[in-house]
Amino acid sequence: MNNQSFVYKGINISYTDDGTGEVLVLLHGFLETKNIWEPFISDFTKSHRLITIDLLGHGETGCLGYIHTMEQMADPVIALLENLGIKKCIILGHSMGGYVALAFAEKRPDFVVKLGLINSTSQEDSMERKQNRDRAILAVKDNPKRFIRMGIPNLFSPDNIEVYSKAIAHITEEALKTPVQGIIAALEGMKIRPERSSFLTNLNRPKLMIASKKDPVLDFKALKKEAEEAKMNLVVFPDGHMSFVENKIKFLHQIVHFIE
């Protein structure tokens, strides 16, 4: 990975820029970093220029405040592409990264060639989910390491926790580096993100949704309905929220097919 950084509003934004060709931008999820895409770099860069970025308060990118809205997270992505002279891209995001990809697309639809949501949604948080976010914020303030150590395994299908114990340990280790401010700012931002379902439906671009039947975070039936209404290409996996780990080979095949 060709790690680089640029200064945005006084903080360092960390990103990678590898390969040549049509630009593919991959955005990680909550408590993740750009490193989650490392296993796929050699495959994607065979045909594309791959940009990955640490979103605000994650990885090696600093915090800009105590609430990072999805729009604020999208702004450095836009700034980066403008700095690199990139005017068109395929953009895909996992979970929170999907929320950021939607905010990016709404701000700059002229940039977007194709859009993909990986275990993500255009729906806003339900009232229950917002309350869960508030509980999570309290848990983070109380004991951030415990919150992370409990949270990461719960993203996987229960059947896969033992199978992917090494991957879970590695993702947890990376997540433990996330500053408390970054964790809380992201939770606050996700909690207040707006509904973007009508925007997604009206976005006249090739669109992909990857949904998992045992996703503990998002309701599979709701995602299926959302994909149908937004006329998205729906890919269904049998496991949990971490489809790029739990269904790695099939995931790679589907993304390569979508971006080609």
Side-chain angles (χ1 to χ4, degrees):
M1 292 175 84
N2 184 15
N3 277 297
Q4 301 184 53
S5 68
F6 76 106
V7 177
Y8 171 82
K9 294 190 175 178
I11 63 165
N12 268 342
I13 306 286
S14 181
Y15 69 98
T16 67
D17 183 357
D18 297 275
T20 57
E22 187 177 21
V23 176
L24 170 63
V25 177
L26 296 179
L27 303 179
H28 65 78
F30 176 59
L31 296 179
E32 298 166 1
T33 73
K34 62 186 183 305
N35 296 342
I36 65 161
W37 307 117
E38 196 167 358
F40 305 102
I41 285 183
S42 61
D43 288 289
F44 292 150
T45 53
K46 285 174 186 170
S47 55
H48 287 73
R49 180 180 178 185
L50 177 64
I51 308 280
T52 73
I53 184 167
D54 281 336
L55 296 171
L56 291 178
H58 287 69
E60 295 169 354
T61 290
C63 295
L64 269 183
Y66 293 92
I67 300 175
H68 291 151
T69 66
M70 302 304 100
E71 296 76 23
Q72 286 168 324
M73 287 202 178
D75 286 337
V77 184
I78 295 166
L80 171 60
L81 297 188
E82 288 176 340
N83 283 357
L84 296 174
I86 294 166
K87 294 180 178 165
K88 297 281 179 191
C89 70
I90 301 167
I91 187 162
L92 296 99
H94 175 245
S95 196
M96 181 183 78
Y99 310 153
V100 178
L102 282 166
F104 172 96
E106 191 168 62
K107 279 173 170 276
R108 295 302 302 267
D110 55 305
F111 270 62
V112 179
V113 177
K114 297 179 181 180
L115 173 76
L117 300 182
I118 303 162
N119 302 100
S120 192
T121 179
S122 62
Q123 302 293 318
E124 64 184 335
D125 272 359
S126 65
M127 190 53 66
E128 182 188 359
R129 192 111 174 93
K130 287 179 180 178
Q131 289 167 349
N132 287 342
R133 301 261 191 224
D134 286 333
R135 278 193 280 273
I137 288 164
L138 291 175
V140 173
K141 287 177 178 176
D142 180 52
N143 192 327
K145 289 184 177 179
R146 184 174 62 196
F147 172 79
I148 290 166
R149 288 195 177 107
M150 288 177 64
I152 300 297
N154 288 338
L155 298 173
F156 288 74
S157 159
D159 302 338
N160 283 338
I161 291 173
E162 193 60 44
V163 179
Y164 293 104
S165 57
K166 281 187 179 175
I168 289 169
H170 177 67
I171 294 165
T172 302
E173 191 182 332
E174 286 277 291
L176 286 167
K177 299 173 189 172
T178 315
V180 171
Q181 184 182 343
I183 300 172
I184 293 173
L187 286 165
E188 293 280 13
M190 288 188 286
K191 184 177 74 177
I192 60 172
R193 74 181 189 281
E195 176 97 6
R196 285 199 164 91
S197 51
S198 59
F199 167 75
L200 182 62
T201 300
N202 294 326
L203 183 68
N204 189 21
R205 306 281 192 282
K207 295 172 285 194
L208 172 72
M209 176 174 282
I210 289 179
S212 302
K213 287 186 174 178
K214 295 179 186 172
D215 192 325
V217 178
L218 298 169
D219 180 67
F220 172 69
K221 286 181 182 174
L223 290 180
K224 193 177 172 189
K225 185 182 177 199
E226 182 181 343
E228 285 167 7
E229 289 176 353
K231 296 181 173 62
M232 301 178 82
N233 176 23
L234 175 66
V235 171
V236 176
F237 289 134
D239 298 304
H241 193 65
M242 306 294 275
S243 57
F244 57 92
V245 178
E246 294 173 272
N247 303 99
K248 183 181 172 185
I249 294 167
K250 289 180 180 175
F251 172 86
L252 174 62
H253 173 76
Q254 291 292 346
I255 299 297
V256 167
H257 179 66
F258 178 66
I259 66 177
E260 64 188 16

